[in-house]
Amino acid sequence: MGQLSRRSMLASTAAAAGGAALLSASPAAARPRSGPVAAPLDPDGHDPITVRWLDGAAPREVAGGTTWGVPWPRGAFSSDQSFALTTESGETVPMQSRPIGWWPDGSVKWTAHSVSSQAPRSESYRLTAGEATAPRSPLSVHRGRDRITVSTGVIDVEFGRGGDRVVTAIRRGRTVIAKDGRLVASRQDRSGTDGAPVIKSEAFTGFVSDIAVEQDGPVRAVVKIEGKHRKGRRAWLPFAVRFYLYAGSDAIRVVHTFVFDGNEKKDFVNGLGIRFTVPMRGELHDRHIRLAGDGKGVLAEAVRGVTGLRRDPGEAVRQAQYEGKKTPDTSTWDTRVTSRLQYIPAFGDYSLSQLNAHGFEINKRTGVGRSWIRVDGGKRAQGLGYVGSPSGGLAFGMRNFWQLHPTELEISGAAGDEAQATAWMWSPRANPMDLRFYHDGMGQDTFPEQLEGLEITYEDYEPGFGSPYGVARTTELMFWALDATPTAERFSALAEANTAPPLLVSSPEHNHSTGVFGSWAPVDRSNPAKKELEDKLDFMHRYHLEQVDQRSWYGFWDYGDIMHAYDSDRHVWRYDVGGYAWDNSELSTDMWLWYHYLRTGDAKAFRFAEAMTRHTGEADMYHIGKYQGLGTRHGVMHWGDSAKQVRISNAGYKRFYYFLTADERVGDLLHDLVDSDRSFLVLDPGRKVNGSNGEFDPDPKALLVGKTTDWGSLAMAWLTEWERGGKAIARTKLINGARSIAALPNGWAQGGTVTYNLADGTFTGPTEKLVSIGSLSSVFGLIEVMTELNDLIDDAEVKDQWVQFCRLYNATGDEQKEATGSSWGSQNLRQAYSRATAYAAKELGDETLAKRAWKELRRGHAGYPEDHPFTTERIEGPAVLNPVDEAELGTNASAQFGLAVMQCLALVGDEV
């Protein structure tokens, strides 16, 4: 209890000190929304920008609506600027807009825009300053004492303020389409030895502890519900679920996040889902089931089928049932059928289960206690189902259904008065989650033994550190409250929208022109040298993207990550070799993928980076517990390595997705990381190499926070919080940190004991020139954050010191000694640091330095030299399980090569 109280005291002290430091940090606004606002330019002086659909053509169906982010140049618009949207033909489009990012002068940096699925469909749209068009039937939110009701003009959705129903009812007019929406989970206790039989199994239901309306129209509403799953006295598996509704739409988008807070040795989750009760109406032969299979394939059946019988009810009857329409009155049927209807089985239970990435099964049964009958199967289901009648029903689906296996869509009780529709994020038909560490430690009980293990398997093992306590997963789901059984064409369109929700995006050219995200530029093939580099970047990206499918890097906990290194003898990635397995953002893979999308505007690149952001922001970092705010170094299990560091939880890897989509869940993650420097109070990341002994008792005024890898990651969180107009302490620590590091005799290369003050973010170190530098110092976002920061704060000393660091990393020992008093030694990753040389060349206007940057990149030290083969070889036969493509490419080398090429092209492209 004393330790917790101490932390609470430190938190309060930090906030107070931060507020005081803020007054002298900079005259610029700390919170742009309340600070000075630049005079807005004449809106008429801004040309409209074009936004297009990410996947190309206009979609057949939009998943309720779409929300996207757009950047603007500094000084262009004030926070109260309104925006208008029109189609290509000039038709106005109802739209809801809001600022989500600000420049230091208070002008808008990013805006988020929302349109409904009912908006006029166009291949592209024109976005401009102006008055937005209001929807014909604006969305409304009613806040009652016991519930909150959102009305889209088509459906009313009621949310309870407490209890075990996250949604109490979904109505179309007076008809209840679905009700009693609840979160369900189950666990098994397998704590016996040698995988002993299940001791007990328990079911849990989610209980609401908090509800908030985050947006309330007129086009879009967002309702956030938080709570835990409970049974009896136990409350665990905390959740945060957001519901998105759009004006004029009958769709509900759901973003579900849960955190594992159990004992991995005893708590084996064997079911996790969201369930609705669907009232059933009409005769059994007028109740319909729809399940989406591969491609455009749809299983279309009735609870009691009247096709294929020995006796024919009539073509009109059969056709109506097959199409999901109400069948003609039974008086018109062949009496040989109507007199025997009671003898036709009614199949009220259906299951579409995707237990692996390569096969799904559909089964059905007449009821509990009866055998399941296999219906059909296939490879990769789109993850959409429907249960209802011609008078309405519920379509329900899960995005990335087969990628996030084991998943399931289940319908039960459709032959009764009420059916249950359950979207299982973890199917109860699969083996339970086994989150235990994969080996017994192999005698690595002391630091020396663990360091020896690191030497052979590259795994940084430490007893107790491979815990999944605090990791999370986010899943996106869709629900449609339909007024009739959908046609095959409509259901197929819904499945497409569920699989790849349509998104509007601004062009690479516009995004680049605004100055966001530092040094990058759209693809340029204007001369042979640039074309060669662009081709290499495309090849490298395509290879890693295709490896995901060839190697089947899918699954609930794995999808979105890629592997770290390759084993050319076994023709496999080193999935089972310590620190060479899952990449876990090592050397900024996420950042490379996002910059590739920014430059190309390619849909596949966006989806690739999006999946990685969803994964690494959840499974690779801790959200509660003693490691909260930290990520886990690369390894066989995403949370298995004992190196828990901010370089992995890095906000810089997530902010791209947030600003491009305004995604609230990622926004939460970014906000949570603002205080991740407090993790250094409870865990010393250098404990195995700095001689630490005994109990760790840090001084909050002198923490051992690294001024490069650590600080660069923290700085990204603070920069993002500042941009978003959040906690004032973020800006304070960001600027104090940069200025105090720059004030050290050797800046970012300063050696000796340099310590960090938790209260205000300042660093203190020796007054004499000492050198200490590591190759990993700047490859986790430090280069990128400093590029942006120098443009934002305009501090000559900070820029000069940073430019010197960039100039010297790949310089000669004599040049380093002349500037800093010592040679920096033989540094690694020189190709990666060619972009640092390029930055110095750009800032100094030094053509010789620019040419040096290109020489460093072409030489390819710890990367890909100029003559490196950017080719693949097809490997088939008994040496591999399945035919695969191999290339002499490693994930980390690819990420750093990609970032280096992109930034060199942007900074010193004329010298290529």
Side-chain angles (χ1 to χ4, degrees):
M1 290 297 294
Q3 188 178 22
L4 290 174
S5 299
R6 178 168 171 261
R7 290 183 198 167
S8 301
M9 177 190 71
L10 288 170
S12 300
T13 302
L22 175 64
L23 299 176
S24 59
S26 170
R31 299 186 65 192
R33 280 178 286 185
S34 59
V37 177
L41 301 179
D42 179 5
D44 294 333
H46 291 280
D47 293 332
I49 70 164
T50 298
V51 292
R52 61 173 178 84
W53 295 104
L54 172 65
D55 293 293
R60 293 192 292 165
E61 182 81 27
V62 178
T66 185
T67 298
W68 73 101
V70 178
W72 303 101
R74 189 182 329 208
F77 297 117
S78 61
S79 291
D80 59 357
Q81 178 63 56
S82 60
F83 292 88
L85 191 71
T86 59
T87 64
E88 290 175 327
S89 62
E91 185 178 2
T92 59
V93 180
M95 182 177 68
Q96 179 177 317
S97 303
R98 61 189 173 99
I100 57 172
W102 289 263
W103 292 98
D105 64 2
S107 61
V108 171
K109 188 173 187 177
W110 287 91
T111 52
H113 307 275
S114 301
V115 297
S116 168
S117 58
Q118 301 306 301
R121 205 61 48 84
S122 180
E123 294 293 312
S124 64
Y125 299 86
R126 291 161 61 85
L127 178 67
T128 187
E131 292 302 318
T133 300
R136 282 195 297 267
S137 298
L139 179 148
S140 64
V141 177
H142 175 72
R143 296 167 174 84
R145 180 179 179 180
D146 300 322
R147 65 193 61 185
I148 292 172
T149 303
V150 179
S151 300
T152 70
V154 177
I155 62 173
D156 297 331
V157 182
E158 296 177 357
F159 301 92
R161 289 188 176 274
D164 62 351
R165 302 295 190 266
V166 292
V167 175
T168 56
I170 304 172
R171 292 184 172 86
R172 284 189 76 117
R174 296 182 179 179
T175 302
V176 176
I177 299 296
K179 63 179 183 178
D180 297 339
R182 51 207 181 276
L183 304 178
V184 292
S186 59
R187 68 173 283 275
Q188 292 179 354
D189 185 338
R190 294 195 173 192
S191 57
T193 59
D194 299 325
V198 175
I199 297 175
K200 62 179 179 178
S201 182
E202 294 180 294
F204 294 79
T205 302
F207 276 74
V208 177
S209 61
D210 189 47
I211 182 170
V213 178
E214 296 182 325
Q215 293 177 47
D216 60 0
V219 172
R220 180 191 198 229
V222 182
V223 178
K224 181 182 180 183
I225 295 176
E226 297 177 282
K228 290 186 177 183
H229 295 80
R230 291 183 183 175
K231 181 187 179 183
R233 295 183 178 180
R234 185 175 188 185
W236 72 314
L237 299 180
F239 60 82
V241 184
R242 282 185 169 89
F243 294 81
Y244 297 82
L245 298 101
Y246 289 82
S249 175
D250 55 11
I252 307 167
R253 177 174 176 253
V254 177
V255 177
H256 172 283
T257 301
F258 94 103
V259 179
F260 181 81
D261 62 342
N263 180 345
E264 72 271 21
K265 297 179 180 179
K266 297 180 64 176
D267 293 316
F268 290 71
V269 175
N270 68 323
L272 185 71
I274 181 168
R275 175 179 294 156
F276 281 91
T277 297
V278 181
M280 300 305 296
R281 304 174 181 90
E283 302 295 335
L284 295 179
H285 52 261
D286 280 334
R287 300 181 182 184
H288 300 287
I289 307 295
R290 298 288 184 268
L291 294 169
D294 287 316
K296 294 184 179 181
V298 175
L299 176 76
E301 291 196 353
V303 170
R304 173 174 282 162
V306 295
T307 64
L309 298 172
R310 185 176 184 184
R311 306 303 178 192
D312 183 6
E315 183 179 357
V317 177
R318 288 186 283 107
Q319 189 66 24
Q321 188 182 72
Y322 176 72
E323 293 178 354
K325 300 176 182 178
K326 181 174 174 56
T327 56
D329 190 275
T330 52
S331 64
T332 66
W333 296 22
D334 188 317
T335 58
R336 292 177 298 173
V337 175
T338 55
S339 64
R340 299 178 176 90
L341 278 176
Q342 67 272 26
Y343 299 117
I344 303 174
F347 290 90
D349 297 355
Y350 278 77
S351 165
L352 188 163
S353 56
Q354 181 91 47
L355 304 187
N356 61 68
H358 305 285
F360 68 85
E361 291 281 341
I362 299 177
N363 293 274
K364 67 181 183 181
R365 66 181 180 180
T366 57
V368 177
R370 302 300 175 184
S371 173
W372 286 95
I373 305 299
R374 184 181 182 277
V375 178
D376 208 336
K379 294 182 179 179
R380 292 171 170 176
Q382 294 184 85
L384 184 70
Y386 169 84
V387 57
S389 69
S391 61
L394 184 71
F396 62 109
M398 186 188 309
R399 188 180 178 195
N400 297 318
F401 185 74
W402 59 266
Q403 294 95 327
L404 290 173
H405 66 82
T407 54
E408 182 179 354
L409 300 181
E410 183 180 15
I411 297 165
S412 59
D417 293 336
E418 296 180 335
Q420 308 293 320
T422 308
W424 289 107
M425 291 163 276
W426 187 281
S427 169
R429 299 178 202 281
N431 289 326
M433 289 184 196
D434 189 346
L435 307 184
R436 297 171 296 179
F437 196 69
Y438 77 103
H439 67 65
D440 64 1
M442 299 178 291
Q444 299 176 71
D445 299 322
T446 65
F447 285 176
E449 292 166 332
Q450 292 157 26
L451 292 173
E452 283 298 301
L454 182 66
E455 285 295 316
I456 187 64
T457 66
Y458 204 31
E459 179 177 72
D460 195 357
Y461 173 80
E462 190 170 341
F465 276 74
S467 170
Y469 186 97
V471 301
R473 197 33 151 158
T474 289
T475 307
E476 300 178 43
L477 304 105
M478 282 299 305
F479 299 88
W480 280 272
L482 302 176
D483 61 355
T485 299
T487 65
E489 183 69 19
R490 176 81 197 286
F491 192 74
S492 177
L494 294 181
E496 287 179 4
N498 174 67
T499 300
L503 177 70
L504 287 169
V505 296
S506 47
S507 69
E509 289 73 23
H510 170 75
N511 296 341
H512 174 252
S513 73
T514 64
V516 297
F517 296 138
S519 299
W520 66 278
V523 171
D524 180 3
R525 287 187 165 87
S526 59
N527 64 46
K530 290 182 178 181
K531 181 181 183 301
E532 180 183 0
L533 287 170
E534 297 287 7
D535 289 346
K536 287 181 177 180
L537 292 176
D538 278 353
F539 172 87
M540 190 171 65
H541 183 273
R542 184 173 62 254
Y543 173 74
H544 287 280
L545 175 62
E546 292 174 352
Q547 283 293 289
V548 173
D549 197 58
Q550 288 193 16
R551 306 292 178 169
S552 197
W553 291 335
Y554 301 116
F556 184 86
W557 289 111
D558 296 336
Y559 178 57
D561 208 350
I562 59 178
M563 285 282 169
H564 179 285
Y566 199 71
D567 184 338
S568 57
D569 294 313
R570 288 188 291 168
H571 302 289
V572 295
W573 291 81
R574 300 184 218 177
Y575 70 95
D576 59 346
V577 184
Y580 290 110
W582 291 113
D583 186 63
N584 279 36
S585 301
E586 182 70 2
L587 269 65
S588 302
T589 308
D590 318 51
M591 189 171 285
W592 159 49
L593 296 184
W594 276 119
Y595 275 118
H596 188 83
Y597 163 72
L598 285 172
R599 301 183 72 246
T600 64
D602 179 67
K604 289 184 178 179
F606 182 93
R607 305 293 186 195
F608 193 12
E610 177 185 36
M612 183 169 286
T613 297
R614 279 280 187 235
H615 166 85
T616 58
E618 305 287 0
D620 293 351
M621 63 177 283
Y622 292 95
H623 306 269
I624 58 173
K626 60 183 178 181
Y627 304 139
Q628 183 175 355
L630 297 175
T632 301
R633 178 180 175 269
H634 43 100
V636 172
M637 302 184 77
H638 296 289
W639 48 81
D641 200 273
S642 73
K644 312 296 184 186
Q645 299 180 351
V646 292
R647 79 185 205 195
I648 302 302
S649 58
N650 202 322
Y653 304 151
K654 304 164 185 63
R655 64 195 286 262
F656 297 95
Y657 187 62
Y658 173 74
F659 285 119
L660 290 168
T661 66
D663 181 83
E664 283 81 5
R665 170 55 187 166
V666 172
D668 288 347
L669 298 178
L670 292 169
H671 182 72
D672 291 345
L673 288 170
V674 171
D675 297 322
S676 57
D677 54 347
R678 295 178 190 169
S679 65
F680 289 84
L681 290 170
V682 295
L683 187 65
D684 177 9
R687 62 194 176 280
K688 295 184 182 180
V689 294
N690 62 12
S692 297
N693 292 306
E695 184 178 349
F696 181 53
D697 186 21
D699 179 354
K701 294 183 179 180
L703 294 176
L704 295 176
V705 176
K707 62 191 178 304
T708 53
T709 304
D710 292 337
W711 183 79
S713 304
L714 296 170
M716 273 292 190
W718 297 330
L719 171 61
T720 307
E721 185 76 356
W722 180 23
E723 288 177 301
R724 297 175 65 193
K727 295 180 180 179
I729 190 64
R731 176 188 173 279
T732 301
K733 288 185 175 182
L734 174 66
I735 295 177
N736 283 351
R739 288 177 173 169
S740 59
I741 294 172
L744 298 171
N746 279 330
W748 280 266
Q750 179 65 30
T753 301
V754 178
T755 60
Y756 170 84
N757 189 326
L758 181 67
D760 60 12
T762 57
F763 284 86
T764 306
T767 56
E768 67 270 26
K769 283 193 171 187
L770 301 172
V771 169
S772 177
I773 191 69
S775 60
L776 297 183
S777 65
S778 302
V779 292
F780 287 88
L782 180 62
I783 290 174
E784 289 72 22
V785 74
M786 286 305 301
T787 298
E788 293 196 53
L789 184 60
N790 280 329
D791 285 342
L792 295 174
I793 66 173
D794 193 26
D795 186 298
E797 183 178 4
V798 171
K799 179 174 283 190
D800 288 347
Q801 274 284 21
W802 178 248
V803 169
Q804 174 169 283
F805 175 88
C806 292
R807 177 178 67 85
L808 291 177
Y809 185 92
N810 277 340
T812 66
D814 289 341
E815 291 173 310
Q816 294 165 347
K817 186 174 182 179
E818 179 182 0
T820 64
S822 302
S823 168
W824 293 12
S826 180
Q827 293 300 322
N828 196 7
L829 303 179
R830 291 180 179 270
Q831 181 178 67
Y833 283 86
S834 63
R835 68 188 191 271
T837 307
Y839 178 81
K842 177 72 172 179
E843 293 299 321
L844 296 172
D846 190 328
E847 184 177 333
T848 300
L849 205 55
K851 291 179 179 178
R852 193 191 94 186
W854 284 112
K855 287 181 181 178
E856 292 163 3
L857 189 137
R858 291 189 175 107
R859 193 175 295 124
H861 179 269
Y864 304 138
E866 189 171 24
D867 60 352
H868 188 85
F870 280 78
T871 58
T872 58
E873 177 185 0
R874 189 69 169 176
I875 304 297
E876 301 185 65
V880 292
L881 282 174
N882 296 296
V884 293
D885 294 320
E886 288 187 348
E888 294 183 34
L889 298 175
T891 300
N892 295 166
S894 293
Q896 287 299 304
F897 177 81
L899 290 168
V901 171
M902 294 172 188
Q903 292 178 36
C904 283
L905 284 170
L907 292 164
V908 292
D910 291 342
E911 302 298 330
V912 65

